[in-house]
Every structure is written in C-alpha cells, then in structure tokens.
Amino acid sequence: MRDGLKLFYHLKNEWVSIVVDCRSQQPSIAYFGEALGNVNASMLGQLDRHEAPASLSAEPVISLSPSVGTGYLGHPGIALRKAPNRWQFNPRLVSCEASESRLALVSICEALAVEITHYLRLDRNTSVTELTTHIKNLDSEARVSVDRCLMTAPIQDHLTEALELTGRWGYELQQNRFPLPASSVVRENRTGRTSHHLHPSIRLLSTTTSLHSGDAIDVQLAWSGNHTTRIEQLADGRRLVQAGELLEPDELELDPNTSYTSPSCFFCFSNEGVSGLTQQWHRFIRARHEPVNALPHRTRPVQLNTWEACYFEVNEATVIELIDQAADLGIERFVLDDGWFEGRNNDHTSLGDWQVDRSKFPAGLTPVATHCHSKGLEFGLWIEPEMVSRKSELYRAHPDWVLGFSGTSLIEARHQLVLDLGREEVVDYLFESISALLTETPIRYLKWDMNRDIHQMENAVGGRAVHHQTNAVYALMARIRKQFPHVEIESCASGGGRLDMGVLQHATRFWPSDTNDALDRVRVQTGFLSMLPPELMGSHVGPSPCHLTGRQHAMAFRAGVALWGHMGVEADIRALDESERAVLEAAINLHKQHRLLLHRGCYIEHESSAQQVSWSVVSADQTEALSALALMETPNTAFPKRMRFLGIDVAKQYRVNLVWPQELSAAQAQYRDSLQANTFGGDWLQHAGLEPPIMRPESILIYHLTAI
Ligand code: GLA
C-alpha cells in the first residue's frame, strides 16, 4: 500500500525547510525552521531515541493527527466516532502526492472507513506554510462524528517560551510572553467568535529570541469560531503544539461519503526574531489577499464614522452637516454607523429590521449617499446581520429563528439574540435585506459587526451551531461580495472580536478595538501590526476625553497615532475648535501624502519600553521612511532614549524631517531646523541613531526620511 511513498519529504525555499517524516504509519513533522541543505534518511533516523526506562520500546511519533491507541499518550489531535464501539482510529499512510511546494499525504483507517489527507503548502516567497486536514467518511451507511481535529507538530527543544495575543474588550491584542510549563498550556475559546481575549495564534520563542534576533515560530489558525491552541509537554520531555477548531461532541457529523476540511493552520518561521515574523506575515498576507485588495479603492479613503460622534442620534440633517464638515477636512468616505434603521434609538431594539428609519431619513439613505458623492465622499453603512433584538418585527414574526438552549430562557447580551444561520430561510432573509440596501443606495462599504458572544448555541434541530454558523457567515459574506464586488467589508465584533485570517478572505479592513484612546491604541496597534499589515488596521481619531477611558489627549497625539493605519475620524467634528480642526486637517493631509508608503511599505517595530514606543514604515526601495516615537508616560530622564531608525539602507544618505507635530516648543523647533540643515548616513541613523528632543508625556513625534 505504500507504493511510491518516500521515507520523508523536504519542502524548502530560501526562508524555511519543512521535513515530513513518513517512515511510520502516520506522517509527522520532523523539522520546521531555518532552510536546510540536503537531508537524508540517516539524519532523520538519528532523531529516533533509544528505549527510555518504563516506556515503550519505540517512542511513538507525534504525528500530524495523533490519536489514542497508537502508543501516543498526549492530547489527541484527532478523535472520530461512528458508534460507542466504533471509535478506534488507526490510520495508515498510503500515498503522497508531492511537488516542490506541496504535499498531499493520504492515510486510511480501514476499521473506521475514514480517509485523512494532510495538505501542506509552502508559500514560494515567504516562510509561511499552510496546513489543512481533510477527513472523508468512506462509509456508505454510517455517519462519523468529528470530535476533534487539531493540526499537531512537535516543538524544537530550544523554543521554550510562548507569546500570546490576549486582552479584553476595549484593550485587545496585548502581547503576553511566558515560559512554557512542564505541563500544558490550553487556550480554548468558546465565545462563538474569534474572541477578544484569545487570538487564534501562538508564538514560540527561545529564551534569547528578541524583537530582532533569534528563532521564532508562529502558529496561526484561520478561523472565526470556537478554537483551541495548545502546547503540551509529554512525559518523555518532547513538546508539541496543536491548533484547530474547537468542536463539541456531535457538533460536526459527516454523512456517508462526505468530508470536512479543517480551517487552514499557518506556520511561519523567522530567524530574525519577532520582527522577522511580522515581515513574513505582511508579505504573505499582501500577496495572498491581492484579489480582495484590488478593489477600486486600492488607495484607502480616509473615513468619518458617526458612532462616537452621534451614537444613535443620527438623522438626515445631522449627517448632512457632518458630511459637509468632513469634506472640508479632506475626508473621503462617510460611514453611517448604528442607529439608521427602523426604531433603532438605543441598543434594546430593532436589530434584524434592516429598513431605513423614515422618521430619521424621510427619503431613505439615497439622498445621504448622493450628498456624499456631491462632496466627493463615498458612502458606507454599519450593519449587524447575525443578530436580532427581541423588540423587532423580525423577532415578532420569527421567534423560532434564534439560537437557544432548551429548557432555559434565552440569554440576551447587549439586549440581542443570535440568529440561527443554519436555517436557509434566515440566510436568504439576510441576503435579501442586505441586497435591497445595496441595490437601492450606492453603498460602497459595509461595517459588518457582531456584538455578542454566542452563549447558547442550540440550533433548530437541537444541535450545536457554532461550526455551521461560522461557515454560514463566511458564505453570506462571500455571496454578498460576489453579487456586489465593488462593496468592501470591514470586520468588527464589539471592536476586535473577529479579527483573524479566516474572515480576512472576505474583509478588507478590521476594527481592532472600540477604544480610541491614543495611548491604549499604541499598544493595540503594536499587537495588530505584529501580524497584520497597516492597511487592514482601522484607526480613528476619537474624541477627548476618550469615551472608554476618560483620558484627555491633545489632537496632535490622537491624530498622530491614528494616521498609521487605515485612517478615520470618529468624533463630533462639529464640536472641534479652530485649532483642533487645523491639527486634524494637517494630520489627514500628512496621512494622504504618505499613505502609499504606509499601506505598502515595510513596518518595523523598534526597541520599545514601558515609557516609549517607536516604529517605522520603510518603502520597498528604502528611499523613504516614516518613523514614530510615542512617549507613553512621564519619563524618569529628561530626554527620551535615542531613536535608531531600523530597516533603512545603511549605504544611503538621508535627509531627515520632523513632520509631526506641527506645533513645536522652541527647543523642538530648533531641533527640527538643525535636522533639516544636515544630511545623515543610513548607517549612522540605523546604528548610532538620533537624540530626540525633550517631549511631553502622551505625545508623538513623526520623522520623514528621504534618501538623496
Ligand atoms: C460595536 C462596534 C462599534 C459600534 C457599535 C454600534 O460596539 O465595535 O464601533 O459600531 O457596535 O452599536
């Protein structure tokens, strides 16, 4: 049965090697890391350890899908069931289709009549490898329950630390680094969405790995539903990482002759520290999502969002006034957030009734869109399709359309319930409602929100919904994108609750957090940018005091932080005083002047501390860079630490301009003038660096470097 199978397969490119060991019945990853020259079978054989005391004579492999009964005693990567006495899964590798960058490894378990195919695809231009597992039920009669399907890989011994992206609503994507314990690290998300506190990824590092040096591996799952990432140390000392969808018993059943493909699990390697991973991800995502990005608005328009300006108090007169003022500020897209639909005067009501509230917009939304166009703006709309308010026409007509939990009352969160997207009629209703809006009014952008966890997931047939619900959301987004290819989708879930590479197949922007506090945003943005490129990062200039934290920040700080992503404004611009307005306008201009650099360049995080954070975006040809220095708190020295400009060309000569803030202290102005009077070697800027001027806490400086 093993005809044509090699003992091992070695996929490699200039960045990385992945060696798959096929010597046993089950394929396993023998190596993932630094690109290797030649690999032979005896090298691989040397990895087999001799018998340990009180152990099996041959150490069981940590296969891509390890299961019980094979000798392996760790957390199973796969668990299937056909009947109480039909769960013994013992697959044998039977064939492999291999090309330079792809493997399809087919295994069959005859007892259970199941075929497993592991697909590995090494990206040609980065160190990113995509792994998926395909499970096929070969039975002509029995169904199979897929209880678990986690991609599993051993971790090299020198990677003894992990870094997770964690946080909470209003403060997402915080980086937490910790040493790996001798037991297990279990990250299980059951929120029914990607979650605010458990990003579906884990970063593996050695103790000496830093921002810019050392080995680092990321494991990232492209999935917006329940998920698991685990790290485990076995009794024999080997460690492994697992990632996959979190499935509850009977949540996923395969009919005879049907199959399941797991969400993609991406592995990424860098020998240049954490920052090297960032470079790899950004390049990979930019290349992979080119079709999504190649929308008419490749240049991302600066937008105004009404949420923190008006909350639910939107109406035609107010938004026309906002549009006029937005146009004067140079804003290019107007996004009408929550509050525009029938009866939606607060968050207790109306979700599901996606008809325009005629008491607020007597002639519908078309006059608003037309007014936007007359002022050179495009029009976007907020929507939360997966939800329904109990107080709504939709719920009154179809109380049975929601997910629930038999025998108990429905749990409302933000006064809303979750629609059961497993029902075709629900999906059709949503598709038709959204289509009607997009057909009636020239809407170019949907902010697609999802404002609650799924606490009760029982669907119409009494099953567990999250797996199907997640796929149904993807399918609905895809259906809308197909029908309305000019419409972009932003993924938002109470801020950054649905921010992952799964939904990225349908979305062109993420809303990373509901906080517009510039200080907190610096940290949120650093976490975001460690994996995703800046053009996907919604970043808005919020009001002061900040509505979430109560902190007050100068407009120069708020705008200077917001201009690094896909810039927007989310404050009542009618209430700005003259000087704030002037600063905001200048920041918008600065963003527009440099947005191609910001949205296509190479982002590099510099060495940071609790007191100061700095970063650069450098053009591909290294002729230009924009660099920031944010002072986060009162420094305990008079001057901030010296700033080294990373990522530029050490062989080039640069002119350095301090372009932000516009208003400088006398000492800062002198400093700016002296910079302008000189030129600097790239080697000097990168290795020796520049002394910053004295800064106030909670302020930001932006430098622009141009090669001469
Ligand atoms: C969520 C979003 C906000 C806003 C509100 C509207 O909280 O994250 O940006 O759209 O919903 O209700």
Side-chain angles (χ1 to χ4, degrees), residues 629 639-643 671 690-695 701 703:
L629 169 55
F639 287 89
K641 297 280 175 271
R642 194 183 284 178
M643 164 109 167
Y671 170 85
L690 293 182
E691 281 295 344
I694 287 180
M695 294 168 71
L701 298 182
Y703 296 85

Side-chain angles (χ1 to χ4, degrees), residues 419-486:
L419 288 170
D420 178 0
L421 269 57
R423 287 172 175 259
E424 227 169 281
E425 63 272 32
V426 174
V427 175
D428 287 344
Y429 168 80
L430 292 173
F431 179 72
E432 273 147 32
S433 308
I434 299 170
S435 296
L437 287 165
L438 298 178
T439 308
E440 196 180 299
T441 301
I443 296 165
R444 293 283 169 274
Y445 175 91
L446 288 176
K447 176 177 173 185
W448 188 303
D449 214 334
M450 185 213 186
N451 275 320
R452 65 163 290 178
D453 294 328
I454 303 181
H455 303 86
Q456 297 172 314
M457 57 154 147
E458 184 185 331
N459 61 18
V461 291
R464 295 166 159 91
V466 176
H467 167 77
H468 293 291
Q469 184 86 357
T470 310
N471 279 327
V473 175
Y474 289 161
L476 182 58
M477 286 180 175
R479 197 167 155 196
I480 287 168
R481 292 283 326 279
K482 189 159 181 243
Q483 182 85 9
F484 304 94
H486 55 282

Side-chain angles (χ1 to χ4, degrees), residues 154-289:
I155 300 174
Q156 284 205 54
D157 287 341
H158 70 296
L159 302 175
T160 55
E161 295 191 359
L163 191 152
E164 62 176 349
L165 288 177
T166 179
R168 62 168 174 86
W169 171 79
Y171 200 45
E172 294 86 338
L173 302 166
Q174 301 305 302
Q175 304 186 48
N176 175 36
R177 184 171 177 164
F178 55 92
L180 292 176
S183 49
S184 300
V185 175
V186 180
R187 300 172 75 250
E188 290 190 344
N189 162 50
R190 288 191 172 77
T191 62
R193 50 183 176 173
T194 318
S195 91
H196 293 83
H197 70 302
L198 291 168
H199 188 264
S201 65
I202 193 84
R203 189 158 277 185
L204 301 162
L205 312 163
S206 78
T207 45
T208 53
T209 301
S210 64
L211 193 54
H212 297 292
S213 73
D215 284 359
I217 288 178
D218 262 343
V219 176
Q220 181 168 192
L221 192 73
W223 185 243
S224 314
N226 291 341
H227 54 80
T228 301
T229 40
R230 300 180 97 261
I231 294 170
E232 179 170 357
Q233 178 166 322
L234 302 179
D236 59 31
R238 291 177 299 170
R239 276 187 280 103
L240 56 103
V241 60
Q242 298 183 309
E245 199 180 341
L246 195 165
L247 295 163
E248 301 292 351
D250 299 322
E251 180 165 3
L252 177 58
E253 288 213 300
L254 301 180
D255 285 335
N257 296 314
T258 62
S259 55
Y260 161 72
T261 303
S262 71
S264 294
C265 181
F266 294 98
F267 280 53
C268 178
F269 168 76
S270 148
N271 58 10
E272 293 176 336
V274 167
S275 166
L277 290 175
T278 302
Q279 310 303 326
Q280 298 286 339
W281 282 126
H282 289 195
R283 260 214 314 281
F284 177 73
I285 290 168
R286 282 173 170 166
R288 184 180 167 99
H289 294 284

Side-chain angles (χ1 to χ4, degrees), residues 168 207 360 529 696:
R168 62 168 174 86
T207 45
K360 296 178 179 177
L529 294 170
R696 284 200 165 163

Side-chain angles (χ1 to χ4, degrees), residues 79-127:
L80 306 174
R81 216 166 14 100
K82 283 203 168 158
N85 61 354
R86 278 191 84 196
W87 51 272
Q88 301 84 347
F89 181 64
N90 186 18
R92 278 156 207 274
L93 182 59
V94 293
S95 68
C96 177
E97 236 177 73
S99 71
E100 231 174 75
S101 56
R102 282 164 196 258
L103 295 179
L105 297 140
V106 183
S107 306
I108 290 187
C109 171
E110 278 166 13
L112 212 56
V114 166
E115 180 188 275
I116 303 282
T117 308
H118 292 105
Y119 292 97
L120 281 82
R121 191 181 69 89
L122 172 61
D123 183 45
R124 282 180 202 280
N125 304 312
T126 65
S127 68

